[in-house]
Amino acid sequence: MDLFVTLGINGLATGMLIFLLASGLTLIFGLMDVLNFAHGGLFIWGAYSGVWFYHLTDSFTVAIVTAIATGLVLGLIMEKVIVKPVYGNHIQQILITLGFMLVLQEVIKVVFGPHQIAVSPPAFLDGSFVVGDVVFIKYRLFIILLGLFVFIATSYLFSKTRIGLVVRAGVIDKEMVQSLGINIKLVFTAVFMLGSALAALSGVLHAPYSGVLYAEMGLEFSILAFIVVIIGGMGSFRGSLFAALLVGLTQAFMAYYVPALSLATNMLLMTAVLIFRPQGLFTAKA
Amino acid sequence: MNIRNVDKSTWIYLLIAGLLCVVPFFVTGRSMQFLLIQIFVFAIFAMSYDLLLGYTGIISFGHVMFFGIGAYSTAIVLDRFEATLGAVLLSVVIALVIAGVVSLIVGVLTLRLKSHFYAMLTLALAGLFLVAAEKWTPLTGGNDGFTFRLPPFLRDSLTMYFISLAALVLLFFGLRRLTYSPFGRVLMAIRENEKRTASLGFNVVYYKVMASVVSGLVASIAGVLYILSLRFVDTSVFATEVTIDVLLMTIIGGVGTLIGPIIGAGLVEFAHHWLSGLSDVHWIFERWIILYGTIYILVVIFFPLGIVGTIRAKFFNRPVKGITQKQTEEKPESA
């Protein structure tokens, strides 16, 4: 039983990290119809810049703030320079963002060095406490809570506030919203920046969780984010959360019970979803 | 066939092929010959990719799996059996059968959906093949890979050169014939406007699946040739990086043309060769992938037709359409 709970918490924490990553992508894809393969590049830049400041100042809060700032800036640059010329053309989006992904990944090696970087959790989140027979690792609980908070906050932002209303209206009819006196380009840039910031946030949170950072993580996580978004259904927040938790939990249990297959877990999950329910588990409302 | 009816460009291509036959007698360095063989192999691979991307408008992220299937089939067969011509032919048949079945299954499953599903499922399957190659150690040697013996007549690199060149020329003319045929025209119609093609009565899914099968078969032949020239196999033949390379070759050379990917393969392979050699000169060349990524971005923004496409549009007044135009029909209907 306690083993089951431990594995469950591991899975939930991994899933929450994946959700943070995928929620950014689902925003960019679901709302703006941009296939962004550089999403993992934003993830890795968030992680590296955050960790650099974390090691410099020894404050994890500073690390998180830095990561979010990095995500916002990179998101702004990316939307203005890379994505703008290719709105509306999926194949060109894939090509150009893939190119940007490679650049981001290699520039990491130039700026921060090509070697792996070891990261440990901050002091106040290090360690664990024991309830009965079950060990709760503090950092994992912290991630689960933070992930839930982000889910609730973004859901609230997009379904209850005026900003969310504008964005959703803009997705349905761009010209109409524009003619009502709203600068829809600015709104979409902001959405892109928010998605990028979420990717960067998930990057810096992932660093102490996995304990190690390396530049090639970028492409791996780009692919992982896409897998989750496809399983969950493009553009659906709830779908992304559900799919991310599913992927996290499956990984945790597979790694323990069927280690031989654990590497293939994500691919198998996605293949199954594509075969039986190609539109994803949840479908977004227009 | 009346010799006068042969297209002028055919003569030019045959002339180039003839010139390439003479090249190895002047270029004697082994590494240079090997580089040329690599170019031929990747040119075949890139052509197969362009049949999907440039002619049919399907993007694949796992095209490397067919390449890897060809590579591993040949390596394993030559490792297990006596290294003879028969074994090589057997391995080609096995590679073609596996690649055909896999591409058929992937195509049937995803080509009825929107384009990116094919990209994702091929990516997933290529990932599965990579994991299988890593884990199925008794058969594949895992991460370390294994070397194998070639039949005596293939050991000479000059023979390998001519075999690769012959395969390239034959496949080039074969694929050219295919793209000029009614079948190929339907593929291009699908690329231009899928809904309209369907409404004209063509079974779009059938044509797309067939394109994916032909493309998979050709890619597996490239894999066979690659591994024969390398005499060593490891899991890198399933790496996503190879797909990214071949994507770059195709878009630099020119999508929607067959000669474009060949030129692209030549450029990218030469660039690989030189840039990795330059890493002793300055540290920035160790990070030559930056250059790679930058070229990607610049090509997509400023040069979307590629080399061949741009030349055609500029000098022959033949605008190449295709993946460069905006897709308008995918916009969601407003309620």
Side-chain angles (χ1 to χ4, degrees), chain B residues 18 25 40 60 63 74 82 84 161 164 180 197 229 254 278 299 330:
Chain B
F25 299 106
F40 297 155
S60 161
H63 207 54
T74 302
E82 193 81 11
T84 58
Y161 179 90
S164 318
Y180 281 139
T197 315
S229 70
L278 278 176
V299 166
E330 285 204 22

Side-chain angles (χ1 to χ4, degrees), chain A residues 5-129:
Chain A
V5 174
T6 310
L7 285 178
I9 289 179
N10 280 359
L12 282 180
T14 318
M16 274 304 177
L17 280 171
I18 302 173
F19 164 70
L20 287 177
L21 177 71
S23 64
L25 190 67
T26 210
L27 266 185
I28 292 172
F29 184 81
L31 295 181
M32 303 169 67
D33 200 31
V34 172
L35 283 168
N36 179 14
F37 264 82
H39 205 63
L42 303 164
F43 170 90
I44 198 72
W45 267 91
Y48 265 89
S49 63
V51 164
W52 196 77
F53 271 94
Y54 173 44
H55 285 163
L56 197 73
T57 61
D58 216 26
S59 154
F60 200 60
T61 325
V62 173
I64 290 178
V65 172
T66 320
I68 292 176
T70 312
L72 289 173
V73 171
L74 279 177
L76 178 68
I77 297 172
M78 220 181 129
E79 204 270 341
K80 291 285 178 207
V81 181
I82 305 291
V83 179
K84 208 170 201 177
V86 293
Y87 270 123
N89 186 332
H90 278 165
I91 290 182
Q92 285 199 309
Q93 283 164 6
I94 292 174
L95 297 176
I96 202 166
T97 54
L98 202 59
F100 194 57
M101 173 73 236
L102 294 177
V103 173
L104 285 177
Q105 179 175 309
E106 290 301 306
V107 173
I108 284 268
K109 290 185 193 165
V110 173
V111 177
F112 299 99
H115 307 293
Q116 294 197 343
I117 293 179
V119 189
S120 51
F124 67 100
L125 289 172
D126 209 1
S128 53
F129 50 87

Side-chain angles (χ1 to χ4, degrees), chain A:
Chain A
M1 186 59 206
D2 43 329
L3 174 71
F4 196 79
V5 174
T6 310
L7 285 178
I9 289 179
N10 280 359
L12 282 180
T14 318
M16 274 304 177
L17 280 171
I18 302 173
F19 164 70
L20 287 177
L21 177 71
S23 64
L25 190 67
T26 210
L27 266 185
I28 292 172
F29 184 81
L31 295 181
M32 303 169 67
D33 200 31
V34 172
L35 283 168
N36 179 14
F37 264 82
H39 205 63
L42 303 164
F43 170 90
I44 198 72
W45 267 91
Y48 265 89
S49 63
V51 164
W52 196 77
F53 271 94
Y54 173 44
H55 285 163
L56 197 73
T57 61
D58 216 26
S59 154
F60 200 60
T61 325
V62 173
I64 290 178
V65 172
T66 320
I68 292 176
T70 312
L72 289 173
V73 171
L74 279 177
L76 178 68
I77 297 172
M78 220 181 129
E79 204 270 341
K80 291 285 178 207
V81 181
I82 305 291
V83 179
K84 208 170 201 177
V86 293
Y87 270 123
N89 186 332
H90 278 165
I91 290 182
Q92 285 199 309
Q93 283 164 6
I94 292 174
L95 297 176
I96 202 166
T97 54
L98 202 59
F100 194 57
M101 173 73 236
L102 294 177
V103 173
L104 285 177
Q105 179 175 309
E106 290 301 306
V107 173
I108 284 268
K109 290 185 193 165
V110 173
V111 177
F112 299 99
H115 307 293
Q116 294 197 343
I117 293 179
V119 189
S120 51
F124 67 100
L125 289 172
D126 209 1
S128 53
F129 50 87
V130 182
V131 179
D133 282 340
V134 187
V135 183
F136 289 97
I137 295 172
K138 279 186 198 164
Y139 192 72
R140 291 190 177 150
L141 292 178
F142 166 70
I143 286 175
I144 295 174
L145 290 177
L146 198 67
L148 270 180
F149 170 74
V150 169
F151 172 67
I152 293 167
T154 40
S155 303
Y156 179 80
L157 178 70
F158 281 101
S159 60
K160 301 282 184 219
T161 64
R162 191 185 141 73
I163 302 169
L165 186 71
V166 168
V167 173
R168 281 180 295 137
V171 172
I172 295 172
D173 195 334
K174 225 179 192 172
E175 283 78 16
M176 193 64 204
V177 177
Q178 186 101 39
S179 71
L180 289 174
I182 291 161
N183 189 346
I184 194 72
K185 280 186 186 160
L186 198 69
V187 175
F188 274 13
T189 309
V191 171
F192 200 96
M193 287 168 70
L194 178 62
S196 309
L198 283 173
L201 174 66
S202 102
V204 74
L205 291 176
H206 192 276
Y209 182 70
S210 69
V212 67
L213 269 185
Y214 50 93
E216 280 77 15
M217 277 169 126
L219 198 58
E220 285 169 31
F221 279 88
S222 276
I223 293 169
L224 183 63
F226 261 100
I227 292 177
V228 167
V229 169
I230 283 188
I231 293 177
M234 307 261 181
S236 158
F237 256 112
R238 272 188 308 149
S240 293
L241 179 67
F242 183 78
L245 294 182
L246 184 69
V247 165
L249 286 170
T250 323
Q251 263 182 357
F253 282 94
M254 287 279 259
Y256 188 81
Y257 290 106
V258 211
L261 272 180
S262 66
L263 269 175
T265 316
N266 301 334
M267 305 299 182
L268 289 173
L269 262 179
M270 183 167 80
T271 315
V273 168
L274 280 176
I275 292 170
F276 295 110
R277 203 177 150 77
Q279 71 275 37
L281 298 175
F282 289 75
T283 347
K285 286 173 287 180

Side-chain angles (χ1 to χ4, degrees), chain B residues 99-128:
Chain B
V101 170
V102 171
S103 57
L104 188 69
I105 293 173
V106 180
V108 168
L109 283 179
T110 53
L111 284 175
R112 62 204 153 92
L113 307 167
K114 275 189 185 171
S115 57
H116 41 262
F117 286 107
Y118 184 81
M120 294 316 293
L121 189 63
T122 47
L123 182 67
L125 278 182
L128 282 181

Side-chain angles (χ1 to χ4, degrees), chain B residues 137-149:
Chain B
T137 324
L139 198 64
T140 63
N143 268 327
D144 300 332
F146 60 90
T147 55
F148 53 90
R149 291 165 62 81

Side-chain angles (χ1 to χ4, degrees), chain B residues 83-241:
Chain B
T84 58
L85 177 63
V88 175
L89 293 179
L90 174 71
S91 76
V92 173
V93 173
I94 291 176
L96 289 178
V97 169
I98 299 178
V101 170
V102 171
S103 57
L104 188 69
I105 293 173
V106 180
V108 168
L109 283 179
T110 53
L111 284 175
R112 62 204 153 92
L113 307 167
K114 275 189 185 171
S115 57
H116 41 262
F117 286 107
Y118 184 81
M120 294 316 293
L121 189 63
T122 47
L123 182 67
L125 278 182
L128 282 181
F129 272 106
L130 178 63
V131 171
E134 271 169 15
K135 295 286 162 188
W136 200 352
T137 324
L139 198 64
T140 63
N143 268 327
D144 300 332
F146 60 90
T147 55
F148 53 90
R149 291 165 62 81
L150 285 179
F153 69 97
L154 280 177
R155 283 181 200 154
D156 183 19
S157 74
L158 204 60
T159 325
M160 219 30 241
Y161 179 90
F162 282 114
I163 291 177
S164 318
L165 180 60
L168 173 61
V169 172
L170 285 177
L171 286 170
F172 172 73
F173 282 113
L175 285 176
R176 202 164 82 115
R177 181 74 192 79
L178 184 78
T179 54
Y180 281 139
S181 72
F183 175 83
R185 297 288 140 175
V186 177
L187 293 188
M188 283 183 243
I190 292 172
R191 176 192 72 193
E192 299 297 328
N193 194 331
E194 192 171 329
K195 278 185 187 151
R196 194 173 295 173
T197 315
S199 68
L200 285 172
F202 292 103
N203 183 349
V204 170
V205 175
Y206 165 81
Y207 281 96
K208 283 164 117 183
V209 170
M210 280 302 129
S212 122
V213 170
V214 172
S215 171
L217 294 178
V218 176
S220 73
I221 293 176
V224 170
L225 290 171
Y226 177 72
I227 225 63
L228 284 177
S229 70
L230 215 62
R231 304 177 193 190
F232 165 76
V233 69
D234 68 359
T235 51
S236 68
V237 292
F238 278 123
T240 314
E241 284 77 13

